[in-house]
Amino acid sequence: TQLLEQSPQFLSIQEGENLTVYCNSSSVFSSLQWYRQEPGEGPVLLVTVVTGGEVKKLKRLTFQFGDARKDSSLHITAAQTGDTGLYLCAGGWKGTALIFGKGTTLSVSS
Amino acid sequence: NAGVTQTPKFQVLKTGQSMTLQCAQDMNHEYMSWYRQDPGMGLRLIHYSVGAGITDQGEVPNGYNVSRSTTEDFPLRLLSAAPSQTSVYFCAGRQDRRTGELFFGEGSRLTVL
């Protein structure tokens, strides 16, 4: 059973469109992280959300942490081709380890 | 400052062979971990370590061993390779054992025939 469920698994959109990616769990997390991975490279951290209800903005990306700290979302406004990649959410496990969801593969075409 | 360095980048094995994937870091990472990445499966945690001499199993530990004799090195050993272990392996670390950004190596692509 996947502790962190991400949806959708695949997303193919046109440049300029908006999109939202979801990360859900039945467990409570002290924090959640979002990473982005490009082909042939390791994931790179985008943001860490810590407080229930927290909203963080990173240029055109908006991250929310659910009030109950069981879910998070990533919203991209006016997607660009450079946003193409694999988006992964991650949360704490057994106190110290970090586990990941299956990821959302985003393809933005011009 | 090299960060997290993995070797080799590519490896082909025959079923039953053993090998070690090397991971070295120079960022004073207390926490280190190994993941495997398969299509549609995200990153799955194999083993992790919170300091020298301390290791623990992750989500998918079977068929793999790790050790952490020094803070800098965290090798992953495949004891008897199987085709199901064909994957891309990532080593990652962070300074704090409980929180913070995870820094990844470039990955090692392993094929088991």
Side-chain angles (χ1 to χ4, degrees):
Chain A
T1 304
Q2 196 81 12
L3 197 60
L4 289 165
E5 298 284 348
Q6 281 190 245
S7 61
Q9 189 176 358
F10 299 98
L11 200 50
S12 182
I13 61 172
Q14 296 285 324
E15 208 169 23
E17 291 185 33
N18 301 332
L19 66 114
T20 302
V21 174
Y22 300 93
C23 176
N24 296 299
S25 177
S26 57
S27 301
V28 175
F29 289 94
S30 57
S31 65
L32 280 178
Q33 296 181 326
W34 285 92
Y35 289 78
R36 179 166 168 259
Q37 184 180 21
E38 299 198 32
E41 299 180 7
V44 175
L45 180 69
L46 293 173
V47 78
T48 301
V49 285
V50 179
T51 307
E54 181 177 6
V55 177
K56 278 192 174 179
K57 292 194 175 184
L58 190 67
K59 296 182 181 178
R60 293 175 294 101
L61 278 60
T62 302
F63 302 86
Q64 270 193 299
F65 199 14
D67 290 340
R69 291 184 287 124
K70 292 183 178 182
D71 55 270
S72 181
S73 64
L74 156 61
H75 181 81
I76 300 179
T77 302
Q80 299 176 356
T81 55
D83 295 326
T84 292
L86 176 66
Y87 291 82
L88 297 151
C89 68
W93 187 70
K94 291 172 69 175
T96 53
L98 197 66
I99 57 170
F100 287 79
K102 290 185 179 181
T104 294
T105 299
L106 173 63
S107 174
V108 183
S109 54
S110 57
Chain B
N1 191 346
V4 178
T5 304
Q6 289 182 233
T7 55
K9 286 190 167 42
F10 300 94
Q11 183 71 50
V12 179
L13 289 178
K14 293 182 179 178
T15 297
Q17 288 184 318
S18 62
M19 78 155 298
T20 299
L21 296 175
Q22 301 291 345
C23 176
Q25 57 91 6
D26 61 0
M27 300 176 71
N28 202 28
H29 289 155
E30 193 172 26
Y31 173 90
M32 294 188 76
S33 51
W34 276 101
Y35 295 88
R36 60 176 291 174
Q37 186 170 36
D38 304 291
M41 297 298 293
L43 291 160
R44 290 183 291 171
L45 181 65
I46 304 172
H47 286 286
Y48 64 100
S49 168
V50 297
I54 307 170
T55 62
D56 205 349
Q57 295 183 345
E59 302 169 280
V60 289
N62 292 340
Y64 307 94
N65 272 359
V66 291
S67 60
R68 186 106 181 258
S69 55
T70 67
T71 305
E72 293 75 23
D73 299 299
F74 190 47
L76 177 72
R77 295 183 186 84
L78 281 71
L79 308 172
S80 177
S84 61
Q85 293 179 303
T86 293
S87 187
V88 179
Y89 292 85
F90 286 98
C91 179
R94 64 181 181 215
Q95 284 196 325
D96 188 279
R97 62 170 56 189
R98 294 183 67 86
T99 64
E101 178 177 1
L102 209 54
F103 292 90
F104 284 82
E106 293 184 339
S108 299
R109 182 174 292 274
L110 175 67
T111 301
V112 183
L113 303 175

